[in-house]
Amino acid sequence: MMMRKAPPHGARVAVVGSGISGLTCAWLLKDNYRVTLFEAGSYFGGHSNTVDVTLEGLTSPVDTGFLVHNELTYPNLIQLFKHLDVDVYASDMSFGVSIAEPDIEWAGTNLGTVFAQRKNILRPAFLKMLRDILRFNANAQRYLTETRSQPLSLEQLLDRERFGKAMRDWYLLPMAAAIWSAPVQDILGFPAAHFLTFCLNHRLLQVQERPQWRTVSGGSRRYVQAMVKDILDARLNCPVKRIERHAESVALHTHDTVHSFDAVILASHAPSSLAILDAQAQEREVLGAFRYQQNRAILHTDTRLLPRRKKVWSAWNYLSTGVGGQNQPVAVSYLLNQLQDLPFSSPVIVTLNPHIEPRLESVLKEFIYEHPVLDRAAASAQGHLPSIQGLDRVWFCGAWAGFGFHEDGLKSALRVVRDFGVAIPWEPVYD
């Protein structure tokens, strides 16, 4: 068959998955196509998952997945929020590290938090870590140029440049593991150029001129609700079991029905899309290159899942026992009171993969989130994604097509929508 052209306006289009990518596709295509949005779960939004929390006699919306964005590296999301008239406000992106063995705690907010653990002032390994951080940051642009022409993994780059164990274990790998919600071993396998590009674009490797991070007023469900209300046929609890392509249509099998469409957009995780599709060899090669890390997220109020020293408490807190190896799932606690304007005096925390269980009476809710592991195979496959778009009426999008974040999911959706010839109500940024 090998059809690659989008169907004419008025045709039937299925969008599978209602995260930022699927929502964007369905919302932008709705005026020109007969769109049906399929969501396997019980709510729309994917990682945009706002829940109501009641504490101290007060109830407030709390975000548990997607939390923050900024005007520098989220240009499309900023424009989407403006178009939807969704308000945002300034947030915090401080980062703290808490390791039990050896006893290390520090945060990068200021000199007081860097040396919150006073003995670190006289700790040679800690002082060498600080020197290595300065050296890494100062040379990051050069490393990026070099690793673009001579590809290296992050581990290979760190070995080549002789960065110390303290800098890796107490700073760089905790920061990266917290950002990507991935085990340290997976972070070490990231392409160095990929890692450096992200860090430099987000100004993570500099002290001055960092972007102001922001969060959505009333929680991220505000933008989800604003988009879903305009999509006439949006179905919850409706997983797609199988997709079969025919000469003139695409068949979607749900639990009790076979639906016929002129085109399908798979906006789910790459392995999930591959599992339900009558995939061709090219599609199997591209989608099969992506792995995901499953992360258990617990919403709770147990401060034992924060750094031991309150001065180190930050918006993002990397936690480690210091034992167990580099394949351990990352444990990170997000202190939501610092990220969102919450009315509670009690700390409200989301912890991924806790190294100790929060007290049962402190637990508010529990979720499972999956995050793409953007290793060398995934980075290579991203370059081949355009070659399978529209192949026999099927398109693909998701945050896995970029760095794994909200803006990446949105950009991947905009690229798909561009193929369908519909207007985008702002000047899109694709790169």
Side-chain angles (χ1 to χ4, degrees):
M1 291 180 280
M2 296 298 289
M3 173 189 169
R4 290 187 181 273
K5 187 178 179 181
H9 288 187
R12 300 156 300 173
V13 177
V15 179
V16 181
S18 74
I20 181 65
S21 302
L23 279 177
T24 299
C25 288
W27 181 70
L28 288 173
L29 295 177
K30 63 181 170 49
D31 292 334
N32 298 92
Y33 290 89
R34 289 177 285 159
V35 174
T36 301
L37 176 63
F38 293 90
E39 170 53 51
S42 60
Y43 68 94
F44 296 112
H47 285 201
S48 295
N49 186 10
T50 309
V51 299
D52 288 321
V53 168
T54 300
L55 286 173
E56 303 161 5
L58 301 168
T59 299
S60 177
V62 171
D63 277 325
T64 64
F66 166 64
L67 290 164
V68 291
H69 63 283
N70 67 70
E71 292 189 0
L72 177 67
T73 53
Y74 290 69
N76 293 294
L77 194 64
I78 293 293
Q79 291 301 317
L80 174 64
F81 288 169
K82 286 180 179 177
H83 187 81
L84 296 173
D85 198 25
V86 169
D87 293 331
V88 301
Y89 60 90
S91 185
D92 176 33
M93 273 290 284
S94 56
F95 179 65
V97 174
S98 179
I99 301 173
E101 182 60 44
D103 177 18
I104 286 287
E105 288 197 330
W106 71 289
T109 307
N110 53 51
L111 275 178
T113 62
V114 169
F115 293 106
Q117 190 176 8
R118 291 304 182 193
K119 66 181 181 181
N120 287 340
I121 296 173
L122 300 175
R123 197 174 200 161
F126 190 84
L127 298 177
K128 184 177 187 302
M129 176 197 79
L130 297 179
R131 291 194 297 271
D132 276 351
I133 291 172
L134 294 174
R135 179 164 66 93
F136 184 85
N137 295 357
N139 290 284
Q141 188 61 59
R142 174 172 65 83
Y143 298 153
L144 175 58
T145 301
E146 292 171 353
T147 54
R148 278 175 172 166
S149 59
Q150 182 185 0
L152 296 173
S153 69
L154 180 59
E155 183 174 29
Q156 289 170 329
L157 174 65
L158 294 174
D159 287 344
R160 189 193 77 179
E161 298 299 321
R162 300 174 184 251
F163 284 105
K165 179 175 172 59
M167 181 268 198
R168 302 180 192 212
D169 294 349
W170 301 348
Y171 164 66
L172 194 67
L173 296 177
M175 178 183 71
I179 289 172
W180 276 284
S181 304
V184 164
Q185 190 58 52
D186 286 331
I187 297 297
L188 287 169
F190 277 22
H194 209 65
F195 175 85
L196 290 162
T197 297
F198 178 86
C199 291
L200 288 167
N201 286 349
H202 284 73
R203 308 291 195 267
L204 295 179
L205 304 180
Q206 62 191 58
V207 176
Q208 303 296 326
E209 298 181 6
R210 287 191 171 187
Q212 174 63 62
W213 291 84
R214 301 186 185 279
T215 194
V216 177
S217 299
S220 60
R221 69 182 175 197
R222 290 283 306 283
Y223 90 79
V224 174
Q225 292 168 344
M227 298 176 84
V228 170
K229 70 179 178 61
D230 291 335
I231 302 167
L232 297 180
D233 189 1
R235 307 181 186 187
L236 285 175
N237 301 304
C238 192
V240 174
K241 303 293 188 180
R242 191 166 77 257
I243 297 174
E244 297 171 343
R245 287 173 281 203
H246 303 296
E248 301 296 331
S249 64
V250 184
L252 265 70
H253 297 252
T254 57
H255 66 286
D256 60 356
T257 309
V258 180
H259 311 263
S260 181
F261 291 93
D262 300 299
V264 173
I265 299 170
L266 286 170
S268 47
H269 299 331
S272 302
S273 297
L274 183 57
I276 61 174
L277 180 66
D278 60 347
Q280 302 182 29
Q282 292 171 266
E283 293 164 329
R284 286 194 296 271
E285 184 175 354
V286 172
L287 300 177
F290 293 89
R291 295 186 295 124
Y292 274 72
Q293 170 68 35
Q294 188 176 89
N295 293 300
R296 177 176 171 233
I298 302 179
L299 180 66
H300 64 94
T301 59
D302 189 345
T303 57
R304 295 181 306 147
L305 274 298
L306 290 173
R308 299 177 293 281
R309 295 162 180 84
K310 191 170 183 179
K311 196 170 185 178
V312 178
W313 288 9
S314 303
W316 296 37
N317 302 273
Y318 172 86
L319 310 170
S320 174
T321 60
V323 296
Q326 294 181 329
N327 287 314
Q328 292 279 87
V330 61
V332 57
S333 282
Y334 305 94
L335 182 52
L336 300 181
N337 308 66
Q338 292 193 20
L339 288 158
Q340 297 182 272
D341 185 16
L342 301 182
F344 314 122
S345 58
S346 302
V348 179
I349 305 157
V350 169
T351 300
L352 295 188
N353 310 314
H355 60 299
I356 60 170
E357 287 298 308
R359 294 185 178 94
L360 188 60
E361 65 272 16
S362 77
V363 175
L364 302 169
K365 288 187 182 292
E366 185 168 336
F367 315 92
I368 296 294
Y369 292 121
E370 293 185 335
H371 299 87
V373 177
L374 300 177
D375 54 16
R376 187 175 296 180
S380 175
Q382 286 174 347
H384 297 288
L385 178 58
S387 70
I388 64 171
Q389 295 289 27
L391 190 62
D392 293 335
R393 299 182 174 81
V394 176
W395 280 258
F396 306 90
C397 57
W400 52 268
F403 291 109
F405 298 96
H406 238 56
E407 178 73 9
D408 301 294
L410 179 51
K411 280 194 293 190
S412 74
L414 296 179
R415 293 188 187 103
V416 168
V417 167
R418 180 174 56 184
D419 286 355
F420 283 74
V422 303
I424 297 169
W426 66 86
E427 190 64 36
V429 179
Y430 295 108
D431 299 318

